[in-house]
Amino acid sequence: YAALGLEGEYRFERRRVMAEELPAFVSELRGRGDVAGVSCSMPHKQALLALLDDIDPVARAIGAVNTIVCEPGHLTGTNTDWTGAVRALGPAGTLRGRTVAVLGAGGAAKAVVYGLTQGGARVTVYNRTAGKAEELAHQFGCGFGPLDSPEIADAEIICNTTNVGMGDPDASPLAPEFLRAGLLVFDAVTHPYDTKLLRDARAAGAQIIHGTEMLLYQGAAQFKMFTGQEAPVDAMRAALEREITARGDYS
């Protein structure tokens, strides 16, 4: 906002909303006329589906809302996580026909799989709980398997959407032997910045993409929805890098 001279036109408010408070918060939001939009985090992304006035087709297909676009008396839910994931995977080039292993079957996985299938990738979902992997795979018409499947090593792209490694620099959803040169590995975990999965992938000669890229691009999509202007991605990335450096886990 500062990069485009908009910081004086917007006020930013962070709200911690407990699950039992969510309906009242949505009602309050609907009654206000001074809110352009809301960024929503877990655990509310699915609960919002039943509370908003409209859910756009993208959020409906993914089954989760991470963005509320506000108009006086009317709230629309959408999802920008999928476009954040697709834009983060830009170094992969075209996704069409590429074989992708998605680790996990939760809310983040749904957004990533939606984006990948929209781009024409050949996706297989791998998860510890086989039933969840099968359910997600059937929803989007892709394959599924267990998280320890040796077939993961045959993928061209690996996307981790599990929370393994979040806050733990020594945890990884994959053993190093799954990784090789020529592979592209994306980890949606943002803290720590350099997860063990990414460190192991780099050591194996794979190309890596940090989770902050997905965070950046989903926020850029929200910015356009809230302001009508293209987001200054370079300024946003610089701000992210300053924050990562300040918290001390920028490798």
Side-chain angles (χ1 to χ4, degrees):
Y1 287 78
L4 296 183
L6 299 176
E7 71 274 26
E9 300 178 29
Y10 291 86
R11 180 170 60 87
F12 302 93
E13 181 179 322
R14 183 177 181 178
R15 291 279 292 272
R16 183 176 179 85
V17 180
M18 305 306 290
E20 64 272 16
E21 300 169 337
L22 189 60
F25 171 77
V26 171
S27 294
E28 174 196 338
L29 195 63
R30 188 178 288 110
R32 293 177 61 172
D34 62 343
V35 180
V38 178
S39 300
C40 314
S41 63
M42 292 299 293
H44 300 319
K45 291 185 178 183
Q46 291 178 314
L48 285 167
L49 291 168
L51 297 174
L52 303 178
D53 302 302
D54 280 318
I55 304 297
D56 77 359
V58 171
R60 186 77 65 189
I62 294 171
V65 167
N66 83 323
T67 307
I68 304 174
V69 179
C70 304
E71 296 174 327
H74 193 90
L75 307 176
T76 300
T78 187
N79 192 300
T80 65
D81 284 334
W82 76 276
T83 191
V86 170
R87 291 189 67 182
L89 288 168
T94 181
L95 292 172
R96 185 162 300 281
R98 306 292 294 278
T99 57
V100 185
V102 174
L103 313 183
K110 289 180 180 180
V112 171
V113 172
Y114 174 85
L116 290 168
T117 55
Q118 289 291 302
R122 295 161 53 201
V123 180
T124 305
V125 178
Y126 298 93
N127 193 58
R128 293 191 190 281
T129 305
K132 289 190 68 176
E134 184 176 5
E135 180 182 348
L136 177 55
H138 286 170
Q139 181 180 350
F140 292 106
C142 52
F144 65 95
L147 196 53
D148 59 355
S149 172
E151 295 177 357
I152 295 173
D154 297 328
E156 298 172 83
I157 302 169
I158 294 176
C159 298
N160 175 44
T161 69
T162 75
N163 60 5
V164 177
M166 186 177 296
D168 185 348
D170 298 319
S172 173
L174 280 184
E177 52 262 32
F178 282 92
L179 307 169
R180 68 180 193 281
L183 186 66
L184 178 66
V185 179
F186 164 66
D187 194 343
V189 170
T190 59
H191 182 52
Y193 173 78
D194 221 25
T195 62
K196 186 175 191 306
L197 173 61
L198 293 182
R199 297 196 309 272
D200 288 345
R202 186 190 296 113
Q207 185 178 4
I208 65 170
I209 300 173
H210 292 91
T212 48
E213 288 296 294
M214 179 175 171
L215 179 67
L216 170 71
Y217 286 119
Q218 68 82 25
Q222 288 180 332
F223 182 92
K224 186 169 184 179
M225 292 177 181
F226 298 161
T227 69
Q229 299 195 40
E230 294 293 334
V233 172
D234 290 342
M236 293 170 66
R237 180 177 284 108
L240 261 178
E241 290 174 350
R242 287 194 298 270
E243 175 64 21
I244 293 164
T245 302
R247 74 188 189 194
D249 68 351
Y250 190 15
S251 298

